[in-house]
Amino acid sequence: MKVVVLLGPPGAGKGTVAEVLVDKGFKHISTGDLLREQIRLETPLGIEAKKLMDAGQFVRDDVVVGMIRDLMKDSGADAKFLFDGFPRTLVQAEKLDELIGSLGATIEHVVQLECPAESIVERLIGRRTCEKCGSVYHVTFNPPSNGDVCDVEGCALTQRADDTEETVRKRLEVYAERTAPLITYYEVAGLILKINADQPIVDVRADVVKALGKV
Ligand code: AP5
């Protein structure tokens, strides 16, 4: 089993980078996407999560860890997991270590995407998403070819409820307080690969693929 973690502030480009690694056989697991699916289905978990997500706050550790545990429990030895937005707290990082340890694996690399706050605000306010296929665009940096319509599905693109400037700044505060300590956690373990994410998408993707080598 191979496990790679994408670590970085909201809007650093974790989902955008993940797209190229999926082509290399990774199963992309975004806890944000899993939670948004619960919201779409209007489950009790989704109703609770929506309030927190719209306010830029984290969902409870036990809820998120439970979702990951369910996804990984029947995995074979050849599975390749790419985590995006998980772990996000020290408790989640410790639980992930326990979980993959019990499956006889360890984390191979943690890709840390570095990007300044002002670029992030511009990126998230201009992000547009296809609710049908999950494709992510940016009105300026990665526009769809045809107006405000998804290139894959042809349907109208939407803006995430948490992509307002006020909520983005709150998310950045929560990241600094609760997620940034994971950088030291993984540096101590010798797992961090630092990537400059403040450059064009094509260059960030190429740097990540190069840094990961033959994973
Ligand atoms: P989640 O969905 O994970 O959001 P996030 O971490 O805030 O990250 P984003 O999806 O906003 O950004 P990204 O880094 O993937 O950037 P993207 O590639 O889209 O989580 C949402 C919420 O769910 C959390 O706030 C929390 O409430 C909850 N949650 C999720 N996981 C949780 C957990 N483990 N524990 C507790 N709660 C949890 O790119 C952004 C935009 O920029 C796009 O428009 C893109 O086209 C553009 N772009 C990307 N790269 C570049 C570039 N290099 N140059 C120019 N533009 C770029």
Side-chain angles (χ1 to χ4, degrees):
M1 178 181 295
K2 288 190 190 298
V3 177
V4 170
V5 172
L6 291 175
L7 180 65
K14 301 181 293 295
T16 301
V17 161
E19 284 177 30
V20 280
L21 297 176
V22 167
D23 294 342
K24 295 188 171 295
F26 278 94
K27 185 175 165 66
H28 175 207
I29 299 183
S30 154
T31 39
D33 286 348
L34 294 173
L35 290 165
R36 280 184 288 276
E37 178 63 6
Q38 295 295 315
I39 293 174
R40 196 183 63 77
L41 296 171
E42 297 181 351
T43 64
L45 192 164
I47 291 164
E48 187 192 333
K50 181 169 171 36
K51 287 187 210 135
L52 293 162
M53 290 165 74
D54 286 354
Q57 300 287 351
F58 287 174
V59 173
R60 289 200 329 260
D61 287 333
D62 59 325
V63 169
V64 179
V65 171
M67 291 193 313
I68 298 293
R69 189 175 287 123
D70 283 351
L71 271 172
M72 293 188 81
K73 67 175 189 257
D74 298 322
S75 315
D78 56 349
K80 287 167 81 173
F81 289 102
L82 177 68
F83 289 111
D84 161 359
F86 178 86
R88 236 175 169 100
T89 64
L90 283 169
V91 169
Q92 291 179 21
E94 287 163 4
K95 293 287 178 196
L96 178 62
D97 286 345
E98 270 173 43
L99 182 58
I100 59 178
S102 72
L103 298 170
T106 54
I107 295 175
E108 200 139 323
H109 297 291
V110 176
V111 176
Q112 184 202 345
L113 298 177
E114 296 185 296
C115 194
E118 285 319 308
S119 298
I120 282 170
V121 173
E122 192 181 4
R123 285 182 190 185
L124 292 183
I125 289 173
R127 172 165 55 187
R128 299 292 180 273
T129 312
C130 173
E131 286 184 12
K132 221 167 171 184
C133 70
S135 296
V136 174
Y137 302 87
H138 189 279
V139 289
T140 310
F141 305 130
N142 184 24
S145 22
N146 197 2
D148 221 10
V149 167
C150 177
D151 290 348
V152 183
E153 296 289 343
C155 54
L157 299 173
T158 56
Q159 190 167 14
R160 268 172 49 176
D162 58 348
D163 279 350
T164 63
E165 179 162 358
E166 190 189 354
T167 309
V168 169
R169 293 200 186 276
K170 182 71 206 167
R171 284 157 65 196
L172 286 170
E173 270 175 43
V174 175
Y175 173 84
E177 188 189 325
R178 302 194 59 195
T179 308
L182 294 186
I183 298 168
T184 308
Y185 180 85
Y186 288 125
E187 265 170 355
V188 169
L191 294 173
I192 290 270
L193 297 173
K194 279 190 200 293
I195 301 291
N196 172 15
D198 194 21
Q199 49 176 345
I201 292 174
V202 63
D203 296 326
V204 179
R205 284 175 167 165
D207 284 358
V208 170
V209 169
K210 192 170 159 205
L212 286 174
K214 285 194 177 9
V215 287

